[in-house]
Amino acid sequence: MNRIDRISAILIQLQSRRVVKAGDIADRFNISLRTVYRDIKTLEEAGIPLIGEAGVGYSIMDGYRLPPVMFTREEATAFLTAEKFVEKLTDTSTMAQYQSAMYKVRAILKSSEKDALENLDGSIEVLKSHSQKRAGSTDHIQTILDCIICKKIMSIDYFAAHSQENTKREVEPVGVFFLDSLWHLIAYCRLRSDYRDFRMDRIRKLVVTDKSYVNSKHPTLKDYIDKMACEKQLEQVVIKVDKEIHSYLDHQKYYGGFVSEKTVGSKIEMTFLTISLEGFARWYMTFGDRAEIIRPDTLLQRVREITATIAQKIN
């Protein structure tokens, strides 16, 4: 990227957030802090009213606005691709908001770029598997995100799968994430006095209360997920499978906690870290006739027990 393009991109970055750190700019463009300072000075000399504070970062003075930014064809195509994912993997409100944003994006494109998007629209598709839940049936994502921004407490009617009970709880939302075709809410549950992972498809009803949690201190979503990953008791599993069936496990293996694999003679040795030996044992039995368990012995024993139970029922 040449210097003119970089300075333009830095200006756009400064408009995208209230405060931008010099280190963030340096990391994004892979340049030194000294080069960042020089580029910032160039923007100031061009008349951009920047405010800089040591240890905080740079911001553009309130009230200053630049004309609409023009998107390249590649950027517009990326927006269109993202729209396909939003349509299939989020809920109704999120899709409506994204479509509104896309109208604004299309409005400032050149005629040739608009035509290109129209022609490309039918050439991109995101397909959902039969087992994938439809996020649009709950329509909670935007409400939850608004509550996070405004620090509002939510009242939810939640179906707990482990107890098969409906419970009413007040929660302080921390963040949302998408995993294995499902949206999750991480929130501080006032009923349990601890953080909980709520599946959005199990939230039967959501009401925004008048109460706020502005004085509560919560971890970021990333910090919480990292902490939970460290605290989980993971057990190492090593198995060998015949090369002929290895390809059938390509997608399934990640659900079992796949870590690595290597070729050992006519077999593939696979290593996993799992939080549930019971679940792993039952998955292993779907291809166990073409595999062997190296360790742990407790997994081998459990597979034997399940096999014996099945044999008794068949006989």
Side-chain angles (χ1 to χ4, degrees):
M1 179 181 290
N2 61 49
R3 186 164 185 256
I4 293 177
D5 289 342
R6 186 179 70 240
I7 291 175
S8 298
I10 290 173
L11 179 56
I12 293 171
Q13 185 175 358
L14 289 169
Q15 292 179 88
S16 69
R17 301 186 65 177
R18 189 173 64 83
V19 177
V20 179
K21 295 180 180 179
D24 293 339
I25 297 174
D27 292 340
R28 179 188 175 189
F29 297 103
N30 194 27
I31 57 178
S32 66
L33 287 175
R34 189 172 182 178
T35 301
V36 173
Y37 301 147
R38 187 165 61 248
D39 289 347
I40 291 294
K41 184 174 177 60
T42 298
L43 287 171
E44 289 175 329
E45 291 174 347
I48 307 299
L50 297 177
I51 301 172
E53 185 176 344
V56 177
Y58 298 100
S59 60
I60 296 180
M61 187 179 299
D62 283 345
Y64 182 82
R65 292 291 181 271
L66 290 175
V69 176
M70 294 301 294
F71 295 104
T72 65
R73 175 179 295 186
E74 291 74 17
E75 290 169 337
T77 300
F79 277 121
L80 178 62
T81 305
E83 183 178 24
K84 301 296 183 177
F85 282 95
V86 172
E87 179 182 357
K88 289 295 194 297
L89 303 180
T90 64
D91 57 16
T92 305
S93 294
T94 304
M95 182 57 198
Q97 296 296 334
Y98 194 88
Q99 284 181 333
S100 176
M102 278 300 295
Y103 283 127
K104 296 175 183 178
V105 171
R106 293 172 188 265
I108 62 174
L109 294 177
K110 298 176 182 177
S111 296
S112 59
E113 310 302 344
K114 291 177 183 177
D115 292 340
L117 283 195
E118 288 294 331
N119 294 332
L120 190 61
D121 192 28
S123 300
I124 304 173
E125 192 57 71
V126 174
L127 302 178
K128 293 166 61 175
S129 64
H130 295 297
S131 61
Q132 189 169 332
K133 300 283 185 180
R134 179 167 177 78
S137 61
T138 57
D139 205 21
H140 295 320
I141 298 175
Q142 290 301 309
T143 302
I144 292 171
L145 294 179
D146 285 341
C147 287
I148 293 173
I149 293 172
C150 300
K151 293 189 176 295
K152 286 290 187 179
I153 293 171
M154 304 183 307
S155 174
I156 62 173
D157 292 346
Y158 188 74
F159 177 73
H162 66 280
S163 63
Q164 295 292 295
E165 293 179 349
N166 288 298
T167 59
K168 192 177 185 65
R169 313 176 186 213
E170 284 193 344
V171 300
E172 301 174 10
V174 173
V176 302
F177 67 90
F178 185 78
L179 175 68
D180 295 340
S181 302
L182 293 165
W183 281 95
H184 296 250
L185 161 68
I186 298 297
Y188 180 81
C189 176
R190 292 190 158 194
L191 177 65
R192 306 300 185 199
S193 298
D194 201 358
Y195 295 97
R196 288 291 187 268
D197 179 347
F198 300 100
R199 269 180 43 177
M200 286 195 199
D201 61 314
R202 292 178 181 162
I203 298 177
R204 303 294 190 237
K205 184 180 179 181
L206 188 156
V207 177
V208 181
T209 71
D210 293 330
K211 294 179 282 188
S212 65
Y213 61 98
V214 290
N215 296 321
S216 299
K217 297 290 185 181
H218 296 307
T220 64
L221 179 63
K222 183 180 184 304
D223 288 343
Y224 175 82
I225 292 175
D226 289 346
K227 181 174 181 290
M228 289 299 100
C230 292
E231 291 180 355
K232 283 182 178 178
Q233 297 297 315
L234 301 177
E235 186 153 6
Q236 187 183 67
V237 172
V238 179
I239 63 174
K240 286 182 180 179
V241 302
D242 293 348
K243 287 182 177 180
E244 291 79 8
I245 70 156
H246 176 260
S247 60
Y248 295 109
L249 306 180
D250 269 356
H251 298 294
Q252 299 177 23
K253 65 186 180 184
Y254 295 102
Y255 294 100
F258 174 74
V259 176
S260 63
E261 61 187 25
K262 62 181 179 181
T263 301
V264 180
S266 62
K267 298 183 180 295
I268 304 293
E269 184 177 287
M270 307 176 72
T271 300
F272 299 82
L273 287 175
T274 181
I275 60 174
S276 172
L277 281 181
E278 178 70 17
F280 194 95
R282 295 182 180 278
W283 173 61
Y284 173 84
M285 291 186 67
T286 63
F287 57 88
D289 61 319
R290 303 294 300 273
E292 61 179 297
I293 296 171
I294 307 301
R295 60 178 180 272
D297 291 337
T298 50
L299 174 63
L300 180 60
Q301 181 59 34
R302 184 56 185 143
V303 170
R304 285 172 176 165
E305 292 171 355
I306 296 173
T307 304
T309 301
I310 294 174
Q312 288 176 359
K313 291 184 176 181
I314 293 175
N315 295 332

